[in-house]
Amino acid sequence: MEQGTITGSFRIQKQNDEKRIAFGWAYMSVTKTGEQCVDHSGDIVDISEIEKAAYKFVKFYREGSDNHERGGVGTVVESMVFTKEKAEALGIPAGVMPEGWWIGLEVSDDEVWKKVKDGTYSMFSIEGTATSVPLD
């Protein structure tokens, strides 16, 4: 097993200009049609692992960065990991939405917000370390 950094990029779905909040998928594990997602790094991450990582991130960090280089540009103010079980509990029918981590990031940095607004930053990208396990 090899430990490395996993990154993934997902489109910003909505932004609220007045509140300077960008919303979108931080990570998707399974598409709405039930297909396993392969991320930007070529990795597959089970929704249960994303859920654990999301909880830890929100509990201890919450900070957004500028392209993984400069921190303190924003704060995660909304976070929900959608699993099959949670979607069912919310009355969301199967096949309507993916399994993944949805966030809202309040952007405090003026330059980063300009890049969100003009489309330069159109996606979220998560970063972390993990142990890679080859699939059979």
Side-chain angles (χ1 to χ4, degrees), residues 16-128:
N16 181 317
D17 291 335
E18 183 182 313
K19 295 180 181 178
R20 290 175 62 147
I21 302 175
F23 299 92
W25 293 104
Y27 200 91
M28 281 192 291
S29 291
V30 179
T31 67
K32 65 183 179 181
T33 58
E35 298 171 65
Q36 184 72 55
C37 294
V38 178
D39 71 17
H40 183 71
S41 300
D43 293 312
I44 295 171
V45 183
D46 188 74
I47 190 65
S48 64
E49 294 300 319
I50 291 299
E51 190 171 41
K52 286 190 279 188
Y55 293 166
K56 185 174 181 180
F57 178 81
V58 170
K59 185 175 180 179
F60 295 110
Y61 306 107
R62 296 181 301 280
E63 182 179 271
S65 69
D66 185 358
N67 253 351
H68 305 286
E69 294 175 10
R70 178 174 57 93
V73 304
T75 305
V76 171
V77 295
E78 185 169 307
S79 173
M80 178 151 182
V81 178
F82 286 93
T83 63
K84 287 179 195 174
E85 297 79 16
K86 288 178 189 172
E88 185 179 317
L90 291 167
I92 300 169
V96 172
M97 73 181 318
E99 290 184 71
W101 180 19
W102 176 269
I103 65 169
L105 180 74
E106 183 177 45
V107 180
S108 55
D109 184 274
D110 293 338
E111 292 303 312
V112 170
W113 185 245
K114 284 180 192 174
K115 290 178 181 180
V116 170
K117 285 182 67 168
D118 73 14
T120 301
Y121 288 167
S122 61
M123 301 180 201
F124 289 110
S125 177
I126 64 170
E127 180 179 33

